[in-house]
Each structure stands twice: as structure tokens, then as C-alpha cells.
Amino acid sequence: MYSSRIAHWRSEIWLVAFLTILAASCGPDSDPGTDQPNGGEPASCEQVCAHVYDTCGFSFIGEDGANIERDDCIERCLDGLLEGNESCVFGAPCQGHAMTACLEFPSGEVEILGEHYCDLETDWPAYRERLELEVVVLMNQHRAAGAVCGEESMAPADPLAMNVILWCAARRYSRKMVDERFFDHFCPEGGSFDARIRDEGYEGGYPMAENIGMGSRASAEIVAGWMSSPGHCRNIMNASHAEAGVGFDDSASDFGPVWTLKLAGG
């Protein structure tokens, strides 16, 4: 489920940080369970779970959205219960039998503008931040290549930077939609997406845009969904957008997960 809206800065003092997202291939070299649907070997299960949880620093999440603990990973593997219904916590869906573990993690750099300040950070798990940054990496890959949005060819564009004010605004709106159980660009009490950006303290300029999405924990799936929708795609590919903020919230078991993307000019 996707929706987008468009509306028609840059502070002179910004601290610029780079977060390098490393590629991690979680499991292709150890796939002992693909031909053992009724259960893996103890050593093999330990090897794969250790690779995903320890080497890659990720974990599986079950269909109910709950994290699968490392010890439970091994037990589920031995019992043949990792059957591909799980997804990797960083957002890439598992392929086939989950013993193949995770898809390759997107590789790239995200420029972060500003100092983290968001009051939501105290209860925002690290895996959500990783997913949010993945979205920016994936969008920048599309921007570098150019895209066709509907019937409109969009030229390559410069990469988006993650602005911490837009980042917090995106998280805040995703949390609001989850808490209040609605999915729309307009709050139940009213108010536009660009007003919410301003309310967060963003002093940059237009154009501004907002994409929202719901139903997937996978960064690759949410970006693919947006890119397949002409309006969302044009928002992402608009060369006048220089800064972004992404908020992912999966805190409710009965609603979501919900994504918000904020875009603004430079």
C-alpha cells in the first residue's frame, strides 16, 4: 500500500557525517539446510545462525513480527522450522529455505546532515535505523541510473542526503500513524505534510514531497513499490530534491509496518 504527495535550505553550518553501509552476504557460502526441509545438522545450524547473528550482526524476524533470538534460530533450524516465512531484520526477505539466510545487504554511503537530536531515538531500535538508511541507499542507486516513472523518463540525479530534521519528522509521522491506526497524508485532526516538516524545525526550501507505505518490512520491497508507482517514482527521482528523511515503525503487531519518506530541496 503506497501513497504520495508533493508540495511546491540548507543551513550554513551543518556537521556532515558519512555512514558506510557495508555489503554482507549472509549465508550463501553455508547452505546446508536447503536440501534438508525436515531439519538441519547441528553443526550446520550453528554455523548459519552464527553467521547471520554474529558475523553479520542481524537476526531473523518471524511472521508475527517478533525477533527470533539466536538460540531459537538454532532450535528452529534443527526442527526444520526456518522455511522462508521469516524475513531478515535489516529488511531483505529470505529466499526459499531460510537456511540460505539473507540477501546481499545494499552497499553504499549515506551522507547525514546535522547532529542527531530526535526525541524518538531513545526507543528507536538500531535495526530500524539500518532499514531507514537502506532506503536512502536504494533510492540513490535509482537516482544514479535514471528511471522511467510511468511514461516519463527521469534523468539521473545527484544522491540524496539524510537530513536529521527530516529524518525525525518521518519517524514521528510513522509513529503517529501506527499509534492512531490511520494511513494517510492528512492527520485525523488535519494538517499537511509540508506543515509537519516545518513544525519539526526544517528551514529549507521547496519542493517538498512525502511518500508513505505500509505492509512490508523489507527496504527493497518498499522502494520497489514506490518506483513502480509514477507519482512516488517522480518524487524520488526529482533532481530538485536534495535531502531526505525516512521513518520506519513496526512497533504494533496489529498494524503496519509503516514507512514515511520526507523529501525537500537543497
Side-chain angles (χ1 to χ4, degrees):
M1 185 182 297
Y2 308 99
S3 184
S4 70
R5 286 201 174 262
I6 308 172
H8 291 260
W9 116 57
R10 186 162 296 169
S11 173
E12 295 181 357
I13 303 175
W14 282 109
L15 295 178
V16 179
F18 287 91
L19 181 129
T20 300
I21 301 182
L22 302 176
S25 180
C26 303
D29 294 331
S30 54
D31 185 17
T34 39
D35 58 354
Q36 299 176 25
N38 295 319
E41 297 294 334
S44 300
C45 290
E46 170 63 31
Q47 180 184 18
V48 172
C49 292
H51 190 62
V52 172
Y53 285 75
D54 301 336
T55 304
C56 297
F58 305 134
S59 65
F60 288 118
I61 52 176
E63 289 183 291
D64 60 356
N67 286 335
I68 298 174
E69 300 297 331
R70 187 184 184 284
D71 290 345
D72 291 336
C73 169
I74 297 172
E75 183 176 343
R76 288 165 73 99
C77 168
L78 291 172
D79 292 341
L81 297 178
L82 292 181
E83 295 290 351
N85 295 321
E86 301 79 12
S87 60
C88 301
V89 78
F90 60 88
C94 299
Q95 287 187 319
H97 194 290
M99 290 295 291
T100 59
C102 309
L103 294 175
E104 186 172 284
F105 187 60
S107 178
E109 288 184 339
V110 177
E111 183 181 7
I112 301 175
L113 300 178
E115 295 185 79
H116 285 275
Y117 76 97
C118 192
D119 57 321
L120 295 174
E121 289 177 358
T122 56
D123 67 343
W124 217 257
Y127 75 84
R128 288 187 197 153
E129 179 171 315
R130 186 184 295 275
L131 285 165
E132 293 160 353
L133 290 165
E134 278 187 53
V135 165
V136 181
V137 170
L138 293 167
M139 291 191 301
N140 283 340
Q141 290 175 358
H142 286 290
R143 286 171 66 92
V148 177
C149 301
E151 298 182 356
E152 182 179 0
S153 294
M154 306 288 289
D158 291 336
L160 296 162
M162 184 83 98
N163 180 288
V164 296
I165 298 177
L166 296 175
W167 199 350
C168 190
R171 287 179 172 180
R172 195 179 305 283
Y173 196 57
S174 289
R175 173 57 56 87
K176 182 177 181 65
M177 286 191 284
V178 168
D179 285 350
E180 299 181 18
R181 302 299 196 270
F182 74 97
F183 180 74
D184 201 296
H185 293 281
F186 293 96
C187 303
E189 67 272 19
S192 63
F193 75 89
D194 51 332
R196 291 191 295 273
I197 290 175
R198 293 300 189 202
D199 290 344
E200 194 64 42
Y202 185 76
E203 298 179 352
Y206 291 87
M208 294 180 182
E210 177 181 85
N211 287 0
I212 56 177
M214 185 169 70
S216 174
R217 288 185 173 82
S219 57
E221 289 180 2
I222 206 71
V223 173
W226 284 336
M227 291 302 295
S228 68
S229 166
H232 297 84
C233 178
R234 284 192 290 267
N235 285 348
I236 291 170
M237 295 301 300
N238 189 340
S240 296
H241 292 144
E243 298 170 350
V246 181
F248 170 72
D249 195 332
D250 61 347
S251 59
S253 61
D254 61 341
F255 188 86
V258 172
W259 299 80
T260 300
L261 167 64
K262 305 284 191 181
L263 294 160

